[in-house]
Amino acid sequence: MPLPPDSYVDSMPCDDTLLTELGRVTWAAARLHAGVRDAINRHNGQPSDEPFTQTLGQAVATLETQAKNEGRDDQVEWVTQIGRPAVRLRNAVTHAVTYTAKDGRQAIGTVDHSSPGRFLREDLRDVTLYLIHASMTLPS
């Protein structure tokens, strides 16, 4: 079956105020993922441009194992205190489900109905800030 016309992209129901912020969450998560990959590759003695196939959650778990094996308590603490919470926040946004909110707008909400439930612009900016914080505090 052929794809619908390109014009369908512009006519897809959505809350336009969220699109830029969703992009920022995705970009910040990708940057964090690259930082975790780089930390793993430093443990492995490989350059950062080596192919990488792990999800962000898998990469954080791999980093934790390597950090424990090499006595890097700073990285283990980062995983526990910052890395895993960052993955949970990113997953809450990435795995959100669309619905029509009470105000009639298309919205996205957490699958498990955990806070914030419905992601508004400010919530998405908070997730982006946390992902940036995670990237900036990851011990090299």
Side-chain angles (χ1 to χ4, degrees), residues 15-128:
D15 180 346
D16 290 332
T17 65
L18 301 181
L19 295 180
T20 297
E21 300 311 329
L22 283 167
R24 286 189 174 119
V25 168
T26 300
W27 192 259
R31 290 181 54 87
L32 174 59
H33 201 157
V36 174
R37 176 211 57 205
D38 291 349
I40 290 168
N41 285 343
R42 279 191 291 280
H43 281 284
N44 293 336
Q46 295 177 330
S48 291
D49 61 354
E50 287 295 310
F52 197 77
T53 58
Q54 294 182 341
T55 65
L56 177 58
Q58 291 168 338
V60 168
T62 297
L63 178 60
E64 180 180 34
T65 298
Q66 290 179 319
K68 284 180 179 177
N69 290 341
E70 296 185 24
R72 290 293 308 270
D73 294 338
D74 58 338
Q75 287 183 340
V76 173
E77 182 179 341
W78 179 89
V79 166
T80 305
Q81 301 297 318
I82 298 172
R84 279 210 181 92
V87 171
R88 280 192 294 276
L89 286 170
R90 175 254 181 213
N91 287 350
V93 174
T94 300
H95 300 296
V97 176
T98 62
Y99 66 99
T100 303
K102 290 179 182 178
D103 61 7
R105 298 194 79 166
Q106 288 295 299
I108 60 170
T110 55
V111 174
D112 62 1
H113 306 288
S114 61
S115 181
R118 178 182 181 181
F119 285 103
L120 299 173
R121 181 179 180 275
E122 297 76 23
D123 303 307
L124 294 172
R125 291 183 70 82
D126 288 345
V127 171
T128 298

Side-chain angles (χ1 to χ4, degrees), residues 2 7 11 14 35 42 63 67 102 135:
S7 62
S11 65
C14 64
R42 279 191 291 280
L63 178 60
K102 290 179 182 178
S135 291

